[in-house]
């Protein structure tokens, strides 16, 4: 039997997908890190028929080879996409119409915190043999799209900045709008409701935590089934959806062997919030 050689990475196919988000204009967006191709791209699809809506290629100067664009949020009304790069800690703003891209980096709020250790199942999580120390990762948007919220995965502080300032690409203007919102757990994903409540995946405690709009951090739910809750997104009004992937059981993260076992769950949490997916 002849086996066809696997095709190499190219501009017409997916390379390394991670982030995924939907907007209120009927589009599904994905962030493609392009680990093989060495080129970061954003793909947008029409949800109704699956056709390609838009492909945006990020400039190499702002998203060089080795960038790790994991999380993205989309504001279809104002025409912007925001991404977090954990490899070269920074936030990017991408204009949907023409792909114009700017980057914010070099600020302390984007960095991992040394004392925010990822410790799951009473075991310190590694990454390629070293204690995991991951910079800015979870991001979310306010309901009106004027505020971007963000924090380090290995971090216990949740920040905000003005999206209008971020869009300028002027670091001084951006830094002037950076504010501390409150506390967060060590987390891989976050979502913000219309009411201004922030939901985080709490990796160390197999939980979902909530920072309410008055600044109080509490546990919304905890369960052994939340075995590395990765990302959270709002779906239909009131429901928060959670992807659970047992990532800490992968060889690269435990330093030993692959111990993850199916099922890999998509779960949901009833929040009662007046919110819906996308912007």
């Amino acid at each position: 039997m002849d086996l066809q050689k696997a095709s190499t990475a190219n501009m017409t196919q997916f390379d390394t997908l991670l982030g995924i988000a939907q907007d209120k204009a009927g589009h599904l967006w994905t962030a493609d890190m392009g680990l093989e191709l060495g080129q970061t791209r954003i793909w947008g699809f029409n949800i109704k028929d699956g056709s390609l809506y838009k492909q945006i290629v990020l400039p190499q100067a702002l998203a060089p080879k080795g960038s790790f664009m994991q999380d993205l949020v989309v504001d279809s009304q104002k025409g912007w996409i925001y991404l977090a790069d954990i490899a070269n800690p920074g936030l990017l703003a991408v204009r949907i119409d023409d792909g114009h891209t700017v980057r914010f980096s070099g600020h302390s709020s984007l960095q991992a915190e040394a004392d925010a250790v990822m410790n799951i199942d009473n075991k310190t999580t590694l990454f390629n043999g070293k204690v995991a120390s991951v910079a800015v990762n979870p991001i979310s948007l306010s309901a009106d799209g004027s505020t971007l919220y963000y924090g380090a995965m290995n971090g216990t502080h949740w920040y905000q900045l003005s999206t209008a300032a971020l869009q300028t690409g002027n670091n001084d203007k951006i830094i002037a709008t950076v504010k501390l919102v409150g506390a967060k757990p060590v987390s891989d994903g976050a979502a913000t409701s219309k009411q201004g409540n922030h939901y985080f995946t709490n990796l160390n405690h197999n939980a979902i935590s909530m920072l309410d709009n008055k600044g109080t951090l509490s546990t919304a739910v905890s369960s052994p089934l939340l075995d590395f809750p990765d990302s959270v997104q709002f779906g239909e009004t009131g429901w928060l959806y959670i992807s659970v992937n047992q990532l800490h059981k992968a060889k690269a993260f435990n330093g030993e062997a692959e111990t993850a076992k199916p099922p890999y769950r998509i779960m949901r949490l009833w929040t009662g919030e007046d919110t819906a997916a996308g912007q």
Side-chain angles (χ1 to χ4, degrees):
M1 181 175 65
D2 293 331
L3 296 177
Q4 186 177 14
K5 183 179 179 180
S7 61
T8 57
N10 61 76
M11 294 300 292
T12 65
Q13 295 178 315
F14 294 150
D15 185 342
T16 317
L17 295 182
L18 264 184
I20 185 169
Q22 59 179 308
D23 65 26
K24 288 186 177 178
H27 305 125
L28 182 72
W29 297 91
T30 64
D32 187 337
M33 298 189 304
L35 293 185
E36 184 177 345
L37 191 63
Q39 184 74 66
T40 301
R41 294 167 292 171
I42 300 171
W43 302 76
F45 298 91
N46 293 301
I47 294 175
K48 187 175 181 179
D49 61 11
S51 61
L52 180 65
Y53 169 66
K54 188 174 287 286
Q55 184 197 74
I56 301 172
V57 181
L58 302 192
Q60 287 278 357
L62 300 178
K65 184 175 182 179
S67 297
F68 201 106
M69 307 288 179
Q70 179 166 317
D71 276 17
L72 80 163
V73 289
V74 182
D75 184 348
S76 61
Q77 295 179 339
K78 296 181 179 179
W80 288 86
I81 296 173
Y82 306 99
L83 304 101
D85 181 0
I86 67 175
N88 308 296
L91 297 169
L92 282 75
V94 181
R95 192 161 56 207
I96 294 174
D97 281 350
D98 59 5
H100 171 72
T101 304
V102 294
R103 169 185 273 272
F104 171 51
S105 57
H107 194 261
S108 59
S109 64
L110 304 167
Q111 309 302 318
E113 301 170 23
D115 58 349
V117 178
M118 195 183 307
N119 191 300
I120 305 173
D121 299 334
N122 297 314
K123 188 172 184 179
T124 300
T125 301
L126 307 177
F127 184 63
N128 288 335
K130 298 180 180 180
V131 175
S133 181
V134 183
V136 62
N137 182 4
I139 57 176
S140 66
L141 269 178
S142 62
D144 62 3
S146 66
T147 303
L148 183 70
Y149 301 100
Y150 66 98
M153 183 174 179
N154 282 88
T156 57
H157 297 81
W158 190 232
Y159 297 94
Q160 69 175 56
L161 56 73
S162 161
T163 54
L166 180 58
Q167 292 162 16
T168 69
N170 183 305
N171 266 27
D172 290 339
K173 290 183 178 180
I174 299 168
I175 291 170
T177 72
V178 172
K179 296 178 181 178
L180 177 65
V181 180
K184 63 175 279 296
V186 173
S187 52
D188 202 357
T192 299
S193 72
K194 289 181 181 178
Q195 289 73 31
N197 299 317
H198 308 276
Y199 292 84
F200 305 98
T201 61
N202 187 327
L203 301 178
N204 289 350
H205 296 94
N206 305 105
I208 301 297
S209 297
M210 184 187 76
L211 175 67
D212 68 23
N213 52 27
K214 296 180 180 179
T216 300
L217 183 66
S218 62
T219 299
V221 65
S222 61
S223 168
L225 296 178
L226 292 171
D227 201 11
F228 206 106
D230 190 326
S231 62
V232 286
Q233 290 190 22
F234 284 105
E236 64 270 32
T237 298
W239 287 104
L240 183 74
Y241 284 81
I242 310 155
S243 64
V244 183
N245 62 13
Q246 304 178 52
L247 189 61
H248 63 299
K249 296 178 180 178
K251 184 177 181 179
F253 289 86
N254 64 27
E256 298 172 355
E258 181 75 32
T259 59
K261 297 179 180 180
Y264 299 94
R265 297 179 173 89
I266 300 294
M267 306 182 73
R268 66 177 184 173
L269 170 67
W270 173 252
T271 68
E273 300 257 19
D274 177 20
T275 187
Q279 291 200 248

